[in-house]
Amino acid sequence: MRRCDELGRVSEEEGRLTRTFASPAMRGANALVGSWMRQAGLTVREDAAFNLIGRLPSAERGAKSVIIGSHLDTVRDAGKYDGPLGVLIGVAVAEKMRGQNLPFHLEVVGFSDEEGVKYQTTYLGSRAMCGLLAAKDLGRIREKGIARAKRAKREFLAYLEAHIEQGPVLEHVRAPVGVVSDIAGQTRIRAAFIGRAAHAGTTPMNLRRDALCGVAEVVLAAEKAGVIATVGQCAVEGGASNVIPGRATFTLDVRDVKDAKRRAACGKLRKIAAAVARRRGLALEWEIVQETPTAPMDAGLTSVLRRAVGSRVRTMASGAGHDAAVMSKVCPAAMLFVRCKGGVSHHPDESVKESDVAVALDVLARAVLELAKRHG
Ligand code: GLV
Ligand code: MN
Ligand code: MN
């Protein structure tokens, strides 16, 4: 808990926590967490994608890796647990496993980009490590060398991630932890309406081509699209209080556990936006920046977690994205959620109870020992 506090002060912005991909603050976070990893007896490196990797090596020849991971990047004005808690629980679990002679390397990974704040494209760190970056991703980022972080699939035995729930369900059912069944798919879109900037005082209402009014219609259409949909950023380029918006850019984040439903909603919203543009005399730009299908967690590994939790385990889908969605493409992956206060997340008020974190730590340690028995 003290480490979460300390890490929560490593920020690129004065007075609030913001740590984006490959920023000096992220490098600082890697240095700090790396020092804690070394104290726990791990050998530490940073890969070409700025992922921090601590390893408790196995003495067995040809051993694969069990990874406990989460991310060290944050949203803007973030809380201090979304991501870092899972990494620091991993460090604490690895410390407990020292001297256990595990039949696999135990790795703790702090991924560098789960939130996608810098480029609106998420999971750059985990996708680089798994060799799942597309040419399109590399085309839009400045850090071209990150593809070198790729590792062979055969190195990975299993992936476990602890993360705050970021919702209110565990608090409601009074459970300290729960397990995740699926991670909902997401589509991230970047769009813009282009109209004509003009004088706000002299142009009659019926003779305007106001780009922001187009965005307003799409925001309200997204609210009624029958999926989880959010316009989280919107900007009037070159805007001023006495100028009619000539160009308005916005983002659209669409999620659902059912991939077909998410895709259909995105198609419908694009049609609505095109119709709005025609009616208002605007041009429309629409770019799908990223699409991640729903990722089911591995049934076998999830049952290891369930047994480690004990009786009456709450299982739930995750509406938030997690690096486990990417890792599930290269090895069995499972996730443990930790109850958080009021379900609040992506906000500085994020809060967890120390006793719940202790439960999560204990569950993950028992799951690792169970895997050691199975693979020993
Ligand atoms: C990450 O937190 C996301 O799901 O947007
Ligand atoms: Mn987040
Ligand atoms: Mn997260």
Side-chain angles (χ1 to χ4, degrees):
M1 299 298 280
R2 268 201 309 276
R3 285 173 174 177
C4 285
D5 292 341
E6 194 175 338
L7 193 51
R9 291 190 286 272
V10 182
S11 174
E12 62 201 58
E13 290 188 296
E14 189 74 27
R16 59 183 202 166
L17 173 56
T18 302
R19 212 162 49 224
T20 56
F21 174 67
S23 63
M26 153 144 301
R27 309 302 295 279
N30 280 0
L32 183 61
V33 177
S35 73
W36 295 330
M37 285 176 163
R38 276 185 207 96
Q39 276 174 37
L42 309 183
T43 54
V44 180
R45 70 185 175 98
E46 192 185 72
D47 72 11
F50 310 96
N51 298 311
L52 179 70
I53 303 173
R55 173 187 269 224
L56 188 65
S58 169
E60 292 210 6
R61 281 198 22 213
K64 296 183 174 202
S65 293
V66 168
I67 296 177
I68 303 178
S70 196
H71 58 100
L72 291 174
D73 70 314
T74 72
V75 289
R76 287 192 199 293
D77 199 12
K80 59 193 171 196
Y81 300 105
D82 172 4
L85 180 68
V87 180
L88 296 176
I89 286 178
V91 175
V93 170
E95 187 161 10
K96 273 184 173 223
M97 295 300 144
R98 234 168 154 174
Q100 283 281 347
N101 246 331
L102 297 172
F104 40 74
H105 309 301
L106 184 62
E107 293 189 28
V108 181
V109 177
F111 288 110
S112 57
D113 173 69
E114 185 268 315
E115 303 289 4
V117 169
K118 188 162 177 186
Y119 295 110
Q120 287 93 51
T121 175
T122 63
Y123 308 131
L124 288 173
S126 45
R127 288 192 294 141
M129 194 169 98
C130 296
L132 296 172
L133 285 174
K136 186 175 143 201
D137 301 309
L138 286 172
R140 61 184 306 145
I141 69 173
R142 277 194 300 280
E143 299 81 2
K144 307 286 184 200
I146 71 169
R148 288 200 311 272
K150 179 179 177 185
R151 293 169 64 178
K153 199 170 163 173
R154 62 173 181 280
E155 289 185 44
F156 307 119
L157 186 62
Y159 177 79
L160 294 167
E161 179 166 355
H163 200 286
I164 58 167
E165 180 202 343
Q166 306 180 274
V169 176
L170 291 173
E171 195 171 72
H172 183 69
V173 299
R174 301 211 175 111
V177 296
V179 299
V180 176
S181 55
D182 306 86
I183 298 171
Q186 25 175 304
T187 304
R188 296 201 187 188
I189 291 158
R190 230 163 41 185
F193 280 110
I194 301 100
R196 195 176 50 219
H199 197 292
T202 60
T203 319
M205 299 310 283
N206 63 336
L207 296 179
R208 296 176 173 211
R209 287 161 55 207
D210 184 327
L212 187 60
C213 287
V215 181
E217 289 204 42
V218 174
V219 172
L220 295 179
E223 191 183 26
K224 293 195 199 80
V227 288
I228 301 288
T230 308
V231 175
Q233 283 182 312
C234 173
V236 176
E237 283 183 12
S241 62
N242 59 350
V243 179
I244 297 164
R247 179 182 167 89
T249 57
F250 63 105
T251 62
L252 178 61
D253 175 315
V254 182
R255 306 186 187 204
D256 200 278
V257 180
K258 292 196 179 83
D259 287 326
K261 193 171 158 196
R262 169 178 50 82
R263 276 196 293 267
C266 290
K268 188 174 142 201
L269 286 169
R270 183 180 188 151
K271 274 197 189 136
I272 290 173
V276 166
R278 273 195 305 277
R279 180 162 37 79
R280 290 181 170 275
L282 308 172
L284 173 68
E285 291 172 3
W286 188 274
E287 183 195 2
I288 295 178
V289 180
Q290 183 165 341
E291 276 203 284
T292 316
T294 288
M297 296 292 93
D298 181 75
L301 192 60
T302 298
S303 58
V304 170
L305 271 188
R306 293 178 69 88
R307 274 196 300 282
V309 175
S311 57
R312 301 196 349 126
V313 188
R314 179 76 190 202
T315 303
M316 58 212 297
S318 173
H322 298 289
D323 293 292
V326 174
M327 294 306 295
S328 71
K329 304 288 179 279
V330 295
C331 67
M335 277 196 84
L336 186 72
F337 269 174
V338 184
R339 169 168 58 186
C340 61
K341 193 172 173 191
V344 172
S345 183
H346 284 184
H347 189 281
D349 286 350
E350 265 175 17
S351 171
V352 288
K353 274 199 215 156
E354 188 168 333
S355 53
D356 291 355
V357 174
V359 170
L361 207 159
D362 187 52
V363 167
L364 279 199
R366 273 186 290 135
V368 169
L369 291 175
E370 168 71 20
L371 289 176
K373 253 194 245 157
R374 290 182 175 204
H375 294 279

